Amino acid sequence: KVGGPFSLRSETIVEHNAVDELDIRVREQFGLGWTAVESKRLTLLLTPGLGYTEEHGAGPEQLGSVRRQKFTDAHGFAAGFFESVKIRLAPGFTITQDVITFHGLDDNPRLQYTGTVKLLGMMNAHVGMTIEYKREFDTSIPAPINRTLERLSAGLQFSF
């Protein structure tokens, strides 16, 4: 927290994806957040910001008899946005929804988007169960690889 409803948010992501033949991607995003709503039941955080990304591809341009695209080496500045909504339901239950976007500001505009919805049910003061749906989209993934990834997961959360 910076003071009042304002906070600083920084996120660094380092990725390697052998399946999509992404050798490495480093992404840094920094922003000033504003808690637009803060109550016992609801929290809404909005954070615009700026970032920088660097990515390098790998893999063949020819796969058997098929010519294919690959990740291009790219870097540049980007506009970013993070939004988070937390809804506190009956005691011990919370729904959280997060959206992160990252849009390149250069000649090769890239768009990366991640949206997450998570339900947390606390079984006691320290252990909870979660179910989460996540959708990711990335325009820098070369064809014919699917640019959208959807995932449903369940797990345990520990609070100390």
Side-chain angles (χ1 to χ4, degrees):
K1 288 262 186 189
V2 175
F6 298 101
S7 60
L8 294 176
R9 183 175 195 284
S10 176
E11 178 179 67
T12 302
I13 295 177
V14 178
E15 294 177 271
H16 168 76
N17 187 329
V19 174
D20 292 344
E21 297 176 345
L22 172 64
D23 193 27
I24 189 166
R25 174 189 289 151
V26 178
R27 183 175 90 186
E28 174 64 36
Q29 190 168 339
F30 183 79
L32 177 64
W34 172 54
T35 303
V37 177
E38 178 78 52
S39 71
K40 284 179 68 176
R41 292 265 187 213
L42 177 70
T43 302
L44 171 62
L45 173 64
L46 306 171
T47 309
L50 292 173
Y52 181 82
T53 185
E54 177 93 24
E55 57 190 45
H56 298 281
E61 292 184 22
Q62 192 79 20
L63 192 59
S65 62
V66 178
R67 182 155 176 76
R68 60 182 296 273
Q69 297 177 5
K70 66 178 217 171
F71 271 96
T72 57
D73 293 347
H75 63 275
F77 289 95
F81 187 77
F82 172 77
E83 173 262 332
S84 179
V85 176
K86 184 177 280 190
I87 302 169
R88 289 170 277 290
L89 303 170
F93 287 92
T94 305
I95 295 175
T96 305
Q97 178 265 319
D98 295 326
V99 173
I100 300 169
T101 63
F102 199 73
H103 192 276
L105 298 174
D106 52 18
D107 294 339
N108 179 21
R110 297 165 305 288
L111 173 64
Q112 296 162 327
Y113 157 91
T114 302
T116 306
V117 177
K118 178 171 78 170
L119 173 64
L120 167 64
M122 295 301 292
M123 295 184 288
N124 60 39
H126 301 288
V127 180
M129 292 186 67
T130 63
I131 186 164
E132 176 181 277
Y133 170 75
K134 186 174 203 171
R135 181 182 175 101
E136 298 176 353
F137 177 77
D138 187 348
T139 60
S140 64
I141 295 176
I145 299 170
N146 190 351
R147 294 178 170 187
T148 303
L149 171 67
E150 294 179 288
R151 180 174 50 219
L152 183 64
S153 57
L156 295 174
Q157 180 169 315
F158 300 96
S159 299
F160 298 99

